[in-house]
Amino acid sequence: MANPDEQIIPGCKVMSKDGFWNLIAEVKAACGKDQEKYMDMLKARLKELGSEYAQDFHDIVHAYEDLAYKYGLWSASELMGLATDDSFIDFRAWLISQGKEAYFSDLKDPDSLADLDPGDGYWFESFTYAGDSALEELTGKSAYDHTDRAAYEKMIEALKADIDYGEGINYPYEGEEITDYFPRLYERYMHSSGEFIYEGNWNYNDPEIIEARQAGPPPKPEKNMDMGGM
């Protein structure tokens, strides 16, 4: 698993960025969109690799989930019917499970989610717990109890450096803005149904939401974009 030429992620014990994404690519290639099969293989591979890999995998998944906690991505996921706090957690887990290209592309342009095949659905709750489950089976211990918070912050910074966030990624969009900013998602999930039901579910008493809304939306994308390939 580990290539001696790969640099271990700061805050991790044994896992590199390539090691993390290559493991996901391996499992996804073997299991496709079958989430149950995916989880069985992922846990088996983590157990083969050992407890340090299981802990690192757990921490990296949670770091990437934290780094994807962006209002613009949440707005995009609402078009697919994922509006609650819990469903957005499960959505981010699913997005990571789709691999490196999907994760980075959709943080740069959430509208590109329209290209992805949902398979069993745009949520994958058990993926969040894969490392913890493998570690518990190996050692009887919980990965949540053994995350080093100082090391985790170093990991967050190291992983964040690779992400090219799109303009407007942290803007909480409202219903009337959706068709302009997420035209492909709207076309796939809402326009074809003939029913426009999107509603922003933001807490307008939250200072972060207030500040993000006051900052205003990004410039509108070009109207003449290619809608093909869906």
Side-chain angles (χ1 to χ4, degrees), residues 79-169:
L79 279 169
M80 297 177 285
L82 305 172
T84 67
D85 291 349
D86 287 343
S87 65
F88 188 49
I89 294 171
D90 299 342
F91 167 79
R92 285 176 282 150
W94 173 83
L95 182 58
I96 297 165
S97 78
Q98 298 307 292
K100 181 178 181 179
E101 182 178 354
Y103 180 82
F104 287 106
S105 295
D106 293 327
L107 284 175
K108 183 175 179 60
D109 177 18
D111 201 32
S112 65
L113 285 163
D115 294 328
L116 300 183
D117 186 339
D120 290 340
Y122 287 108
W123 54 87
F124 198 171
E125 179 181 6
S126 58
F127 182 85
T128 296
Y129 311 118
D132 178 61
S133 181
L135 185 67
E136 187 169 357
E137 291 185 23
L138 285 168
T139 68
K141 299 176 182 178
S142 170
Y144 288 94
D145 294 336
H146 290 80
T147 297
D148 182 324
R149 298 310 303 181
Y152 185 80
E153 292 304 320
K154 292 180 181 179
M155 184 189 309
I156 284 278
E157 291 305 311
L159 299 180
K160 183 178 180 180
D162 296 331
I163 299 175
D164 182 12
Y165 289 115
E167 191 172 10
I169 192 65

Side-chain angles (χ1 to χ4, degrees), residues 20 37 40 64 90:
F20 174 82
K37 185 178 178 182
D40 288 344
Y64 275 130
D90 299 342

Side-chain angles (χ1 to χ4, degrees), residues 3 5 7 23 48 70 139 169 178 187 196 198 216 220:
N3 184 328
D5 295 329
Q7 184 176 359
L23 175 58
E48 289 173 5
K70 299 296 181 181
T139 68
I169 192 65
I178 288 297
E187 183 72 20
F196 186 70
Y198 175 92
K220 292 181 181 180

